[in-house]
Amino acid sequence: MAILSSSPLLWSHFPKPVSRKLTLFTITLIFKPKKLNSIVMAAAQTTTPAKVVPAVIVGGRRVGKALQDMGKGDDLLVKRGETVPLDFEGPILVCTRNDDLEAVLEATPKSQWNDLVFFQNGMLEPWLQSKGLNDADQVLAYFAVSKLGEPPVDGKTETNPEGLTAAYGKWASSIATRLHAGGLSCKVLDKEAFQKQMLKKLIWICAFMLVGARHPGATVGIVEKEYRSEVSSLIAELAAAAAAEKGIIFEEAMEDRLCAYSRAVTHFPTAVKEFKWRNGWFYSISEKAIAKGKPDPCPLHTAWLKELKVV
C-alpha cells in the first residue's frame, strides 16, 4: 500500500542585503500545518474482464457448442431448419458446414447479414462476393474440439506460441473476448493481414489433406513426419500460386510454420473434402492458366488430384 500526502508546500522569498547595490534573495520552504489527508492506493489494480456479448449461434455441433459454453447462458442456439430471430441485436456465429451456408442466408433476415460471422475453413471469398458480403466477418479457428461437449484445445505452436486464431470484421473484438473467456487465443486483424492468414490456412488444409489422401490411413502427424518432402513441395507450389493470384507476398518460413501447426494436431485424419471450398480454388487457377495457353502453376497439385480421381 502507498500513502500520498496532500499537504501543500508554500514558497516564500525573503530579501537579504548583501551590499548597498545588491540584494540576494533566498528561498525558504515552509510546511503549512494541516491535517493529513491520505489517498490509499491499491498495490495492484484489478481489471474487470470484458463482457461476453450475447450471440446467435447457428449450428450446434462441436464448434457451436464450444462457443456456447464460452458465453454466459444468454446465447441463442439456432439449429438446422430454424430461422434467426428478426429482433436480435448482436453477432450471428455461423458454425455449419460450408455447403449449408446457402441455407443459413435464407434463414437469416437480410437486414442482419452484416452481423454474420463465418467460422468456416476454406476459400469463402468468391461465394461471399456473389452474395454482396465482401466485408463479411470471418474467424480462422486454430483450435480443435475432439468431441461434442469437450473443451477446445488451442493450436499454439513453437513458432507461434501466442496462438494462431484470428478474427476480422465488425464483431472481431467481441469474438476475441468470447474466445479469451474460453481460455483460447485470438488476434484481431485488418482485412489484408487476415487474408494472408486465411490463405496460409487454406494452403495447409489443401497440402496436408491431399498428401495424406495419397497414403491411406495417414494422419496429419504422419504426413508431417514421414512425407515431409511431398508436403513441402506442395506447400511451395500452392503458396506461389496464391501469391500470384492475390498479388501478395508471404513471409519466409511458411513451410516451417505450417508443419509446426501439424505437430500440434497430429491426430487429425486426412481426406480431400469440400473440394469446391478448398483444393477447388487452386484447381480453378490451373484451369484458367491452361485455358490461356499458359503452363499449369500447380502441376503437382493437379497431378495428384487426378491420381486420386478427384478431378
Side-chain angles (χ1 to χ4, degrees):
M1 307 284 278
I3 300 178
L4 303 182
S5 174
S6 62
S7 298
L9 292 175
L10 300 182
W11 297 83
S12 299
H13 302 266
F14 294 93
K16 179 179 180 182
V18 175
S19 68
R20 295 179 179 178
K21 297 182 178 180
L22 297 175
T23 302
L24 176 66
F25 285 83
T26 61
I27 300 175
T28 305
L29 293 177
I30 299 177
F31 289 85
K32 181 180 177 182
K34 185 176 181 180
K35 184 178 179 181
L36 183 67
N37 293 323
S38 299
I39 302 173
V40 180
M41 301 175 64
Q45 291 184 338
T46 57
T47 56
T48 304
K51 185 176 183 291
V52 177
V53 176
V56 167
I57 301 174
V58 183
R61 299 172 70 87
R62 290 176 297 173
V63 172
K65 182 64 169 62
L67 292 173
Q68 185 180 29
D69 291 342
M70 296 174 201
K72 302 299 182 184
D74 48 6
D75 298 317
L76 176 64
L77 186 64
V78 173
K79 297 181 180 179
R80 184 187 294 272
E82 297 178 344
T83 58
V84 174
L86 181 62
D87 58 349
F88 182 84
E89 295 183 5
I92 302 168
L93 314 185
V94 184
C95 308
T96 64
R97 299 181 188 278
N98 294 49
D99 289 336
D100 293 330
L101 291 177
E102 289 283 352
V104 171
L105 278 191
E106 292 176 4
T108 305
K110 197 161 186 176
S111 60
Q112 292 170 277
W113 281 14
N114 64 340
D115 291 317
L116 294 167
V117 182
F118 297 94
F119 277 75
Q120 287 70 25
N121 286 316
M123 173 55 74
L124 271 65
E125 280 186 4
W127 181 81
L128 290 171
Q129 290 170 357
S130 73
K131 304 299 179 182
L133 296 169
N134 297 30
D135 292 319
D137 288 29
Q138 287 185 259
V139 176
L140 292 175
Y142 276 92
F143 55 83
V145 184
S146 298
K147 295 180 182 178
L148 183 66
E150 287 192 0
V153 178
D154 209 339
K156 294 181 178 180
T157 71
E158 67 265 27
T159 56
N160 291 98
E162 77 283 3
L164 290 162
T165 296
Y168 160 75
K170 171 183 174 181
W171 294 106
S173 294
S174 297
I175 299 304
T177 298
R178 178 179 291 266
L179 295 179
H180 294 161
L184 299 175
S185 61
C186 183
K187 297 175 284 191
V188 175
L189 302 177
D190 61 28
K191 189 167 186 177
E192 182 179 350
F194 184 88
Q195 185 184 59
K196 280 189 179 182
Q197 295 298 318
M198 179 274 293
L199 287 169
K200 284 193 284 188
K201 190 173 187 187
L202 178 66
I203 291 165
W204 178 83
I205 292 174
C206 293
F208 275 85
M209 296 299 113
L210 182 53
V211 171
R214 298 186 71 232
H215 305 282
T219 61
V220 165
I222 290 174
V223 170
E224 192 274 331
K225 187 176 181 180
E226 299 182 16
Y227 305 106
R228 178 69 177 259
S229 61
E230 290 184 27
V231 79
S232 295
S233 298
L234 191 52
I235 287 171
E237 182 178 280
L238 299 181
E245 181 72 11
K246 291 297 183 180
I248 61 175
I249 299 174
F250 291 113
E251 67 273 16
E252 296 180 359
M254 181 192 292
E255 176 199 334
D256 292 339
R257 292 179 182 276
L258 297 185
C259 286
Y261 176 62
S262 299
R263 292 192 292 274
V265 290
T266 56
H267 63 287
F268 275 19
T270 59
V272 178
K273 299 188 296 185
E274 297 189 321
F275 179 76
K276 169 186 172 182
W277 307 93
R278 300 181 182 184
N279 296 76
W281 185 71
F282 288 104
Y283 187 64
S284 70
I285 293 175
S286 295
E287 287 185 313
K288 285 190 296 183
I290 294 170
K292 294 178 181 178
K294 298 179 180 180
D296 185 348
C298 306
L300 199 57
H301 179 255
T302 300
W304 287 350
L305 287 176
K306 290 181 177 178
E307 175 188 301
L308 293 172
K309 296 181 172 54
V310 177
V311 294

